[in-house]
Amino acid sequence: MGGSTTRIKHFAKFIQGELKDHLKDDNEPLNMSKSDRYVLYKVGPVLAVNHGIGTPSLVVIMHEVFKLLHYADAKDVKFFRIGTSGGLGLEPGTVVITRTAVNSLLEPFSEQVILGKVQKFPSNLDEKLQKQVMDCSDGLLTAVGDTMCAHDFYEGQGRLDGAFCDYTLEDKLKFLQKIYDAGVRNIEMESVCFASMCNRAGVPAAILCVTLLDRLKGDQVELTPKQHEDFQMRPPRLVARFIKKMLAEQ
Ligand code: R2B
Ligand code: URA
C-alpha cells in the first residue's frame, strides 16, 4: 500500500518486471477497483492498493482489503506501507524502516471513536518482518527508527509554511528535537493506523518510508523531479527484494 494512485500504478508495473520469472501473464496490470476512490492491482501474489492521504481514507480501504483477502481465502498475508515522509537528522533519500509507529503525542496506539467511545489499538509492528526487511537492505540507504503519524502535513508536522502558523521557528525546532530525542526518525500521516489495523487483523506488517527532506533543516521539499522519482522508488525496490527472496525460498 502507498498513498497515491499513480505511484501504486507505477509500483504494479515495477513489481511485474521484478517478478517476471514467477509470473505467467505479462499483460499490463489492470486496475480492478470498481470505485474511483482508490486503485487496486493484482500482480501474481502481490496486491497493490493505494490509501490516499491520512487516516480516514486508509481505514476505509483497509477494511475493504481485509474483507477481500478473507473472502479470497488468502493465506500467509503480509502488509507493507511504501511511502514518503519528512526525515529527522537523516540524509534525504533514506528509507526509514519503522520500529514503532507513534501518534502525534508519541503514544504507540491509534484511536478510533466507535459508538461514541474512544478506543485505543496498539500500533507495534512485527519485529521478525522488520528484521527480514532489514536483511534485504544491503547497499541501500536505510535507517531504523520510530515514525510519528500526524493528522496533517502542515501544523500537525510543525511546519512554518502552511496557511496558518501560530508558533515560532524556535518552537518548531524544540518540538522536532524532542521527538528526535524520543527516537522518532520520520513523520508521515498513516503509520499508526496502518500498524494498528494490521495488528487487529493479525497480519504482520512493515512500514518503509523514504525521507524527502530533513525537517530539522527546513519545510519545503526541494527535490528535482528526477530525484523525487528516484527517492520514491526506494521503498518499492526494498520490498521487491524481500518478495523475491520469499518466493525463491518457497
Ligand atoms: C506522506 O506524504 C503524504 C502527504 O504529502 C501523506 O500521505 C504521507 O503519509
Ligand atoms: N510526507 C509527509 O507527511 N511529510 C513530509 O514532510 C514529507 C512527506
Side-chain angles (χ1 to χ4, degrees):
M1 299 185 85
S4 92
T5 51
T6 45
R7 220 175 334 128
I8 284 299
K9 183 175 184 183
H10 229 87
F11 174 74
K13 286 188 190 165
F14 166 74
I15 203 74
Q16 184 182 40
E18 290 289 304
L19 303 186
K20 61 179 179 313
D21 297 341
H22 300 272
L23 303 176
K24 292 182 195 97
D25 181 1
D26 61 1
N27 291 328
E28 171 142 345
L30 276 184
N31 171 22
M32 300 194 298
S33 169
K34 293 216 173 82
S35 155
D36 62 357
R37 304 281 183 159
Y38 61 92
V39 295
L40 182 146
Y41 298 88
K42 184 179 176 305
V43 180
V46 177
L47 200 61
V49 190
N50 82 298
H51 55 58
I53 294 186
T55 300
S57 60
L58 175 96
V59 175
V60 176
I61 294 165
M62 290 197 80
H63 270 282
E64 294 177 2
V65 171
F66 287 146
K67 289 196 291 180
L68 175 69
L69 293 171
H70 171 75
Y71 290 120
D73 206 17
K75 295 277 185 310
D76 195 18
V77 171
K78 293 179 180 58
F79 271 67
F80 297 91
R81 163 163 150 69
I82 44 175
T84 58
S85 62
L88 290 174
L90 296 171
E91 182 183 330
T94 306
V95 176
V96 177
I97 302 166
T98 304
R99 184 181 292 122
T100 302
V102 293
N103 65 20
S104 297
L105 298 172
L106 303 186
E107 298 161 329
F109 50 78
S110 71
E111 286 182 338
Q112 167 79 306
V113 182
I114 302 174
L115 300 182
K117 291 199 182 100
V118 179
Q119 300 224 23
K120 298 178 180 184
F121 299 103
S123 55
N124 49 298
L125 287 154
D126 190 87
E127 279 180 36
K128 183 174 163 211
L129 187 57
Q130 247 169 68
K131 191 169 172 317
Q132 286 174 317
V133 171
M134 269 157 58
D135 289 346
C136 296
S137 67
D138 260 12
L140 301 179
L141 191 58
T142 50
V144 176
D146 294 342
T147 297
M148 188 184 100
C149 180
H151 282 314
D152 110 89
F153 186 78
Y154 292 100
E155 291 167 290
Q157 301 189 20
R159 279 188 154 80
L160 300 165
D161 60 349
F164 312 106
C165 178
D166 302 326
Y167 45 85
T168 64
L169 169 63
E170 199 189 347
D171 298 333
K172 164 195 151 172
L173 291 176
K174 205 165 141 197
F175 173 71
L176 293 184
Q177 191 60 49
K178 180 181 121 181
I179 65 173
Y180 179 89
D181 292 342
V184 173
R185 290 295 173 269
N186 65 340
I187 309 174
E188 44 75 274
M189 297 180 58
E190 294 84 16
S191 56
V192 98
C193 190
F194 176 81
S196 68
M197 291 287 282
C198 290
N199 266 330
R200 287 183 78 188
V203 292
I207 302 174
L208 293 68
C209 289
V210 69
T211 62
L212 300 181
L213 75 167
D214 181 355
R215 289 298 318 290
L216 297 173
K217 295 190 177 147
D219 292 338
Q220 301 258 331
V221 177
E222 283 166 343
L223 301 172
T224 63
K226 206 160 168 266
Q227 274 175 321
H228 209 139
E229 184 51 38
D230 167 31
F231 285 8
Q232 287 194 0
M233 282 312 288
R234 293 182 181 191
R237 275 192 217 116
L238 184 47
V239 162
R241 282 191 191 180
F242 171 84
I243 295 171
K244 282 201 279 192
K245 194 168 166 196
M246 288 289 112
L247 291 176
E249 285 169 7
Q250 265 178 10

